[in-house]
Structures are given as C-alpha cells and as structure tokens.
C-alpha cells in the first residue's frame, strides 16, 4: 500500500509539472483513481491527503479535489534565491495543525471569541505562555504578561510611554533591528548607539553611557542578533543587568529567536534580573506563523497600568480568535514538536551557509559566525557598497539585504550585507553565496582599476 500511494503522488506531480494538470483543474475522483491504480480507496485518500499537506491540491466538500491556483507561481519561486525574506520557512509552517486549533477554538469559546476580551490577553493563554516561557528560563506569572499584536507593537508602545525612572533617552546596539529604528524616528526620541560586533560591546563604554546620558532603557537583542547573528555570553548578560541596576536603567530584551538556541545553558537577561529591571519581549512570528500577529511582553508590576493604557489607545486588545487557537496549540504539545523540527532546520541551514562563506567569499571580506538563528552579516571591502551588491544580485533573482538602514546616521556603514536563511532552500545556499562572491570580486576589481582622468584636472 505504501508504495502505491507514493506512486499516485508522483504521477500527479509529474502531470502538474508537464502542464497536463493546470491551476484550478479538478482531479479524478477517489473511486476513479482506485480503479486506475488497482488499489483501495484509502490508498488514494492517503495520497491526496499528503498532496494537500504539500499545498499542491485542496479539497472542496462534496465536490472533490482541485489543483492549487498558485502552483505555477510556486514553481517560478524555486528559481529565486531568497536571502532577504525574514519570515519562517514556508515548508515547516504548521498550517494543518493550526487550522485544527482554530476550529477547536471557535467550538470551545464561541461568542467569547467575537467580543472584546481581557485587555491583558486571554487569561488561559497567559497561563500557557508562562509554561512556554519557563523553557526559555523566563520564570514569571500570568499577571505580569500582556498579549500584544506582535513584538513590534510592544516596542512601539515602550518608546512612547514614560518609564518609572523618569528618564527620556534610549540606547540601542549598532546596528540593530530596522523596525525599532523606525519607531524611534517616528517618535523623535533622543537615541544613543553603542557599537556591536561578534566580539560583543565595550562594557566600559556601556557604563559610561548609562552614567552620563539619562537613559530610559537599553534595547538589546541578546541571542541571534538582527542583523549580525551575535549572541552574548551569560557573563556579559549578567554584567549588563548589574550595570542597569546600578544606574537605574531599564532593559528591553527582544528575545525573538531565543527558541533556536542550541545551547541549553544560555539564559536570557531576564533570568539575571531579580528586581523587575528587564522587560522581556517574545514574538512567535519568526518561528511559527507571522500572520498570527501574537507576541507577549513581561512587564514589572509598576508599569502594567501605564502600558495597558497605551495599548488600549492602540488597539483595545489583540485578536481573541488567534489567542484561543494559540492556547490550544500550546496546551496540546504540538508547539513543542514544531519547535524541535524548526530548531534543526535553521541550525542546518546556518551551518551550510557558514561553510559556503568560508569556502567561497573573497579574502578581503569578513562575516559573522552565529551557530543558529536567521541572520549572518558580511562586511564587504571598504570600496564596495552594499547597495551595488544588492542591485547586481537582484538582476540575477538573488535577494540580499543592504544593512545600512539598521544604523543610526552617525554609525552608518554602507558596506554591510545581511543574509537571512529562513526562506532560502538548503540546496540553493551554496549557489547563492558563489554568485554573491563573484559579484563582490567583480565590483572590487572595477573600483581598483577605475582611476580618475587626471589630465582633465591640469
């Protein structure tokens, strides 16, 4: 039976590829295929179910099975090498499982899901989030959690609201996540930077800034930093928290990719914080379903009322249906199974990318060396601009990111390229790096050999 259902799947895939079955086509009925392949109806149903999981076909109750309309588009996308998109790998997103959870949530909560819910988020979801956060060494209670519409909402609100320390200025790593830079620009917040490399930050410099610059909070991405991929050691994290305590500075910890950390002894800054100094933000967008728009923030008790006032003015509350479905997904244990899978997927991709960079990049470049996460950055030769590389590769349908937008003006570097491994196919990584290396060498060579026409200046 096993070989028969695979045979049916391969036959249908072949017909999709050669064009005999086109987008929207109705497939033969289960009975017709069982007769054609001399097998049971259950075998055909299993083949169709597997093709549905691969999003090649879909079923319409009481009508039959049809070819997904986007099939041709999907084929074209395979020709693209995408080091730009930062959403989860489409091949590991748990669509089918989460659809079951959505249906269960509607049945379980009924009218509650379509009315305004608790401003902090569904209490039953917060209970599950507390259990989930324990695996990340974040020990808290439901009363300190607020469910937010993605981490970006939490960051945006924290920039705008007053803090208990009465201070006004913000400190950020340089470079850092572009979405946060957008928020500080929109609010015209006075912002200081501290340089970050794969060796970390200068802790003496950090102390000087904390002591002298009226810092409200320090925004930090402690694990698998965007765009560098850097992670701090536990010793560095402990010292940063101690300095924040000493100078009455809050820390906003964006642990968006902390779940992917292969080191079980690596802890968040929050775990070194006995006094409520660290505000911990966790989004599920990167490792789960970005369209869900669910994240959580762990706040000190004395900031809760103020934060909820600001959130209320933004959106009343986050989607109750999404919250109910996520609660069921976490409670069932499906999320933990999903996490084991994605941890391995991204660790493997990053390893392949590291090896390709080591082997293929020109000697006058350098690159960061994260052991997992989404991001790796490449420093180009000084005379090669990232925007030139981006433009040249775009013409070959290879997409990378110019990281210049991730800097404050006074720290700006125009020769940093960010690669993201989350949506690129494993099989395309080496080819993509090979073409990137060729592009860098070509631009570098052009710059070195282009000399000004000095006789025009005589």
């Amino acid at each position: 039976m096993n070989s028969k259902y695979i045979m049916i799947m391969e036959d249908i895939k072949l017909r999709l590829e050669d064009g005999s079955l086109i987008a929207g086509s109705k497939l033969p009925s289960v009975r017709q295929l069982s007769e054609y392949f001399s097998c049971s109806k259950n075998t055909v149903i299993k083949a169709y179910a597997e093709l549905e999981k691969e999003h090649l076909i879909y079923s319409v109750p009481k009508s039959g099975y049809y070819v997904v309309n986007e099939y041709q588009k999907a084929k074209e996308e395979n020709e693209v090498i995408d080091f730009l998109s930062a959403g989860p790998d489409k091949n590991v997103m748990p669509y089918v499982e989460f659809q079951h959870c959505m249906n269960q949530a509607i049945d379980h909560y009924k009218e509650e899901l379509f009315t305004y819910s608790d401003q902090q988020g569904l209490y039953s979801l917060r209970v599950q989030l507390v259990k989930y956060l324990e695996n990340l060494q974040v020990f808290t209670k439901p009363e300190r959690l607020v469910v937010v519409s993605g981490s970006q909402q939490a960051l945006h609100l924290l920039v705008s609201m007053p803090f208990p320390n009465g201070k006004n200025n913000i400190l950020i790593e340089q470079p850092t996540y572009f979405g946060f830079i957008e928020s500080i620009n929109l609010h015209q917040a006075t912002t200081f930077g501290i340089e970050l490399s794969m060796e970390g930050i200068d802790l003496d410099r950090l102390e000087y800034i904390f002591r002298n610059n009226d810092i409200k909070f320090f925004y930090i991405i402690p694990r698998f930093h965007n765009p560098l991929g850097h992670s701090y050691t536990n010793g560095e994290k402990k010292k940063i928290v101690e300095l924040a305590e000493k100078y009455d500075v809050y820390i906003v910890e964006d642990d968006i990719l902390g779940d992917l950390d292969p080191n079980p002894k690596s802890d968040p800054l929050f775990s070194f914080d006995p006094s409520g100094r660290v505000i911990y933000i966790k989004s599920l967008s990167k490792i789960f379903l970005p369209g869900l728009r669910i994240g959580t923030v762990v706040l000190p008790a004395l900031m809760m009322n103020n934060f909820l006032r600001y959130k209320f003015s933004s959106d009343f509350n986050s989607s109750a249906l999404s919250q109910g479905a996520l609660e069921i997904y976490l409670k069932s244990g499906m999320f933990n199974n999903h996490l084991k899978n994605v941890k391995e997927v991204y660790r493997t991709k990053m390893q392949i990318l590291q090896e390709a960079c080591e082997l293929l990049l020109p000697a006058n470049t350098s690159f960061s060396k994260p052991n997992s996460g989404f991001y790796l950055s490449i420093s180009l030769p000084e005379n090669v601009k990232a925007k030139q590389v981006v433009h040249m590769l775009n013409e070959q349908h290879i997409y990378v990111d110019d990281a210049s937008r991730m800097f404050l003006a006074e720290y700006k570097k125009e020769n940093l390229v960010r690669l993201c491994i989350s949506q690129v196919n494993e099989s395309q990584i080496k080819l993509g790096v090979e073409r990137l290396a060729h592009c860098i060498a070509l631009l570098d060579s052009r710059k070195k050999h282009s000399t000004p026409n000095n006789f025009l200046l005589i």
Side-chain angles (χ1 to χ4, degrees):
M1 176 179 162
N2 284 345
S3 57
K4 267 283 168 70
Y5 91 84
I6 291 169
M7 191 190 301
I8 295 168
M9 286 176 67
E10 293 304 324
D11 185 73
I12 290 170
K13 285 181 182 178
L14 198 61
R15 291 170 190 272
L16 287 168
E17 285 173 13
D18 69 15
S20 345
L21 282 172
I22 59 168
S25 297
K26 185 175 182 180
L27 293 160
S29 70
V30 171
R31 183 183 56 77
Q32 287 171 318
L33 274 191
S34 70
E35 288 173 4
Y36 181 80
F37 282 97
S38 305
C39 64
S40 72
K41 290 178 183 176
N42 285 342
T43 302
V44 178
I45 289 167
K46 184 171 182 182
Y48 276 169
E50 292 299 317
L51 290 166
E52 273 195 279
K53 283 182 190 172
E54 292 181 28
H55 308 291
L56 298 178
I57 69 171
Y58 65 97
S59 61
V60 176
K62 298 182 181 175
S63 175
Y65 292 86
Y66 295 82
V67 176
V68 170
N69 291 328
E70 279 75 35
Y71 181 72
Q72 293 302 323
K73 186 182 168 197
K75 270 183 68 181
E76 287 163 20
E77 282 174 355
N78 286 337
E79 294 161 19
V80 165
I81 300 179
D82 184 0
F83 286 118
L84 177 63
S85 302
D89 186 325
K90 295 179 181 121
N91 297 312
V92 292
M93 284 202 272
Y95 303 105
V96 177
E97 294 93 330
F98 199 72
Q99 186 178 9
H100 293 317
C101 295
M102 288 288 253
N103 294 336
Q104 282 182 46
I106 292 169
D107 289 341
H108 183 66
Y109 287 103
K110 297 189 172 65
E111 68 278 356
E112 287 176 59
L113 293 176
F114 301 98
T115 58
Y116 293 126
S117 59
D118 187 325
Q119 229 190 309
Q120 270 185 251
L122 287 176
Y123 186 80
S124 51
L125 171 61
R126 284 185 279 134
V127 168
Q128 292 305 316
L129 286 169
V130 164
K131 291 177 183 174
Y132 154 62
L133 291 176
E134 285 172 2
N135 297 323
L136 293 161
Q137 299 305 300
V138 172
F139 297 96
T140 186
K141 50 192 179 183
E143 290 72 23
R144 283 187 62 186
L145 260 66
V146 179
V147 176
V148 286
S149 304
S151 60
Q152 181 64 40
Q153 183 188 43
L155 293 172
H156 199 68
L157 296 175
L158 291 167
V159 169
S160 61
M161 65 182 274
F163 270 51
N165 58 12
K167 300 179 181 183
N168 296 311
N169 302 330
I170 293 169
L171 176 65
I172 61 175
E173 299 162 305
Q174 282 296 277
T176 196
Y177 165 52
F178 172 67
F180 189 71
I181 290 180
E182 273 289 272
S183 286
I184 58 178
N185 287 340
L186 282 171
H187 286 100
Q188 300 181 321
T190 303
T191 307
F192 294 84
I194 184 164
E195 286 193 47
L196 174 71
S197 70
M198 284 305 278
E199 280 67 56
I201 56 175
D202 181 338
L203 291 170
D204 292 334
R205 174 75 183 151
L206 181 70
E207 181 165 14
Y208 177 85
I209 296 170
F210 279 1
R211 186 171 59 237
N212 295 299
N213 291 289
D214 193 40
I215 300 299
K216 174 166 94 165
F217 69 77
F218 176 27
Y219 170 65
I220 181 170
I221 306 170
R223 298 195 268 195
F224 310 121
H225 179 270
N226 179 10
L228 296 182
H230 167 268
S231 295
Y232 291 87
T233 66
N234 281 353
E236 289 168 329
K237 286 180 254 191
K238 187 170 185 287
K239 179 67 175 171
I240 290 166
V241 173
E242 286 169 357
L243 289 173
E245 180 67 26
K246 183 177 178 181
Y247 294 101
D248 192 19
V249 174
Y250 282 84
I251 294 171
V252 173
E253 177 177 18
D254 189 349
D255 198 26
I256 191 163
L257 295 175
D259 306 81
L260 303 182
D261 201 333
N263 177 7
K265 293 184 179 176
S266 170
D267 295 325
L269 286 134
F270 188 92
S271 67
F272 299 103
D273 164 47
S275 63
R277 183 65 51 185
V278 178
I279 296 160
Y280 181 86
I281 297 176
K282 189 80 195 76
S283 167
L284 298 174
S285 296
K286 299 297 185 198
I287 54 161
F288 188 41
L289 295 169
L292 192 62
R293 302 311 304 143
I294 292 274
T296 191
V297 55
V298 185
L299 292 157
L302 76 169
M303 288 184 68
M304 183 62 73
N305 288 341
N306 228 2
F307 186 87
L308 289 175
R309 278 187 66 202
Y310 275 74
K311 185 176 188 306
F312 181 80
S313 71
S314 169
D315 70 350
F316 293 147
N317 49 33
S318 302
S319 162
L321 179 56
S322 295
Q323 290 185 60
L326 180 59
E327 180 211 333
I328 291 165
Y329 192 73
L330 288 167
K331 199 171 184 178
S332 68
M334 283 192 269
F335 183 80
N336 286 337
N337 292 333
H338 167 71
L339 204 51
K340 282 177 195 164
N341 185 21
V342 297
K343 273 178 90 162
E344 187 55 32
V345 166
Y346 296 130
R347 191 195 62 76
T348 302
K349 282 189 183 184
M350 187 59 77
Q351 190 177 347
I352 294 167
L353 179 58
Q354 296 266 0
E355 288 167 1
C357 288
E358 195 72 54
L359 184 68
L360 299 166
L361 287 180
N364 57 351
T365 61
S366 60
F367 61 95
S368 58
K369 297 180 172 66
N371 59 358
S372 187
F374 278 19
Y375 307 111
L376 175 149
S377 286
I378 299 169
S379 293
L380 306 170
E382 281 299 328
N383 60 344
V384 177
K385 298 283 185 281
K387 65 182 177 185
Q388 296 171 310
V389 172
V390 169
H391 179 71
M392 188 178 276
L393 289 175
N394 275 357
E395 292 177 343
Q396 302 173 54
H397 305 294
I398 299 168
Y399 303 120
V400 300
D401 205 357
D402 169 7
S404 61
R405 65 199 173 107
M406 300 172 192
F407 291 91
L408 297 171
E410 61 270 33
Y411 289 87
K412 186 154 285 191
K413 290 183 182 173
E414 296 185 341
N415 68 328
L416 191 70
V417 168
R418 186 192 76 175
L419 303 189
C420 179
I421 50 93
S422 63
Q423 291 196 17
V424 68
N425 291 335
E426 270 183 34
S427 59
Q428 295 174 311
I429 291 173
K430 190 173 178 183
L431 175 61
V433 174
E434 196 174 295
R435 290 186 182 170
L436 169 62
H438 178 71
C439 171
I440 295 168
L442 190 62
L443 287 167
D444 191 30
S445 167
R446 280 182 192 170
K447 292 284 182 184
K448 283 175 180 168
H449 294 99
S450 63
T451 53
N453 291 327
N454 291 326
F455 66 86
L456 292 175
L457 304 176
I458 297 169

